[in-house]
Amino acid sequence: MTNSASLPRWSVIMPFAAWIILGGSWVFTASLYAILLTIALFAGVLTAVYHAEVVAHKIGEPFGTLLLALAVTLIEVALIVSLMLAGGEATSGLARDTVFAAIMIILNGIIGLCLLAGASLHREQSFSLQGASTSLATLAALAVLTLVLPNFTSTAHGPVYSPSQLAFIAVVSLVLYGTFVLVQTVRHRDYFLPEEAVADEEVHAVQPSNAVAWTSAGLLMLCLGVVVLLAKSLAPTLEHAVAAAGAPQALVGIIIAIVVLLPEGVAAFRAARANRLQTSINLALGSALASIGLTIPVVAVISLSTGWSLTLGLDAKSMILLLLSLMITTISLGTGRTTIMQGTIHCVIFAVYLFTTIVP
């Protein structure tokens, strides 16, 4: 966090350096260049987290966490759309796989690590029960309607919706997510406001100037864009490595989703360690909601306009893991207070998800 009238030089230089390194991938194809791309990727993630915290401190909660969630999700949607348009009907399950991976990473990986790290330092942490329950109720409805229900409809065969059903679900998704944003930012904003952490100097720091905040917002978008494109450019190398290890190709999607969610994950982890668990939960659940609420309507429009079928229904194993994750998260966040036990449970479920992906 910066309190001065200007940003640190590294935070301004890093986004442009990452874009230059990304541009070099069109010229240099040696495998050693992948190491430089990987370094640029993680540098972009850390820089994005820094600028997100600057902007969040300027505009306050819950607008700061909402901004980061929306920025990452919009770029993620753009990446999915570009891959779908390039891959054609062969990528009919891409949106489903990406959204499911994002939900599992957020509900179990990010939330688990945040609860574990926060409780390890502060023993017990509290947050707004009303905000968490509102987020979880919306997330459960969106997840089941988009990823589970398609398996049980009869108008269209297979894990797909008919065109009219898909259009209806797209509208429902937008209505649910739009209503959630209205509740979070206007009607019941107090549900999502964190308690001030007395020992956290960043909470009480002087707000950055308008110029610094706007500059950080622009640099944040540059960072998020280069992070997604670097992840995409590293995907072929990653695919070869996964294939050489004999692991399923689904692992590639999980790794890319983890990289895309790194800025939010790191920001949520830092907030939990600073005893600001409400901010962590806002980031995590807000990202999951944005991932479904924005991705499904966009890919539905592409499917309906091109005539391609859109595979949304999960297989039996994935449905069980999804429902288990929703149930455990509801129980874990159902009291407004968390300990190390809840964090351990979520991390174990995430480990099971990763292990059963590699060893199905």
Side-chain angles (χ1 to χ4, degrees):
M1 182 71 67
T2 181
N3 303 323
S4 63
S6 60
L7 294 166
R9 286 186 179 179
W10 67 267
S11 69
V12 178
I13 295 173
M14 196 62 68
F16 297 100
W19 277 101
I20 292 172
I21 293 173
L22 175 64
S25 63
W26 292 89
V27 180
F28 304 100
T29 57
S31 57
L32 289 177
Y33 197 77
I35 298 176
L36 187 59
L37 290 174
T38 304
I39 294 173
L41 173 63
F42 286 99
V45 167
L46 295 177
T47 309
V49 172
Y50 175 83
H51 288 299
E53 290 180 343
V54 172
V55 176
H57 190 59
K58 175 64 178 179
I59 64 179
E61 289 294 337
F63 299 104
T65 54
L66 178 64
L67 173 67
L68 180 57
L70 285 175
V72 171
T73 303
L74 288 173
I75 294 175
E76 179 185 351
V77 170
L79 177 59
I80 293 173
V81 169
S82 66
L83 292 175
M84 286 183 66
L85 293 176
E89 197 166 0
T91 59
S92 62
L94 178 64
R96 174 201 60 192
D97 296 339
T98 304
V99 169
F100 176 62
I103 292 174
M104 295 301 293
I105 291 167
I106 290 167
L107 289 186
N108 298 304
I110 294 178
I111 288 182
L113 288 174
C114 287
L115 297 184
L116 197 59
S120 297
L121 289 174
H122 308 286
R123 295 184 65 83
E124 188 177 81
Q125 292 181 295
S126 61
F127 55 92
S128 169
L129 182 58
Q130 295 95 327
S133 62
T134 301
S135 302
L136 282 172
T138 311
L139 179 60
L142 281 170
V144 172
L145 290 175
T146 56
L147 301 178
V148 177
L149 186 60
N151 290 323
F152 302 98
T153 55
S154 56
T155 301
H157 295 289
V160 298
Y161 278 129
S162 67
S164 61
Q165 290 173 335
L166 183 59
F168 180 74
I169 290 299
V171 173
V172 167
S173 299
L174 283 176
V175 169
L176 284 174
Y177 183 67
T179 306
F180 170 78
V181 172
L182 175 66
V183 168
Q184 185 185 34
T185 58
V186 181
R187 300 279 296 189
H188 300 284
R189 183 186 171 194
D190 54 308
Y191 288 177
F192 302 88
L193 293 178
E195 296 181 3
E196 288 194 358
V198 178
D200 185 14
E201 296 180 358
E202 292 185 358
V203 172
H204 307 285
V206 178
Q207 287 190 350
S209 65
N210 290 334
V212 169
W214 279 108
T215 302
S216 278
L219 292 172
L220 171 62
M221 296 305 298
L222 284 177
C223 290
L224 294 175
V226 78
V227 163
V228 174
L229 293 177
L230 283 168
K232 181 180 178 181
S233 68
L234 287 169
T237 303
L238 183 60
E239 289 175 354
H240 292 313
V242 169
Q249 284 298 108
L251 185 61
V252 176
I254 294 175
I255 295 174
I256 292 176
I258 290 175
V259 171
V260 172
L261 290 170
L262 264 179
E264 293 160 302
V266 173
F269 184 80
R270 286 171 53 123
R273 286 179 57 87
N275 204 21
R276 290 184 283 120
L277 187 61
Q278 182 66 55
T279 299
S280 298
I281 293 175
N282 288 349
L283 270 170
L285 297 181
S287 300
L289 286 167
S291 182
I292 303 180
L294 297 178
T295 302
I296 298 302
V298 171
V299 297
V301 170
I302 294 175
S303 174
L304 293 171
S305 61
T306 59
W308 301 336
S309 62
L310 184 63
T311 304
L312 288 178
L314 296 169
D315 58 33
K317 181 193 71 175
S318 298
M319 283 193 295
I320 291 173
L321 286 172
L322 173 63
L323 296 177
L324 175 64
S325 300
L326 289 170
M327 181 183 69
I328 293 298
T329 307
T330 302
I331 296 173
S332 296
L333 304 182
T335 62
R337 304 189 72 84
T338 59
T339 65
I340 195 173
M341 187 71 244
Q342 286 97 331
T344 303
I345 293 171
H346 284 273
C347 288
V348 166
I349 295 175
F350 185 60
V352 170
Y353 164 63
L354 292 178
F355 184 79
T356 54
T357 299
I358 299 172
V359 186

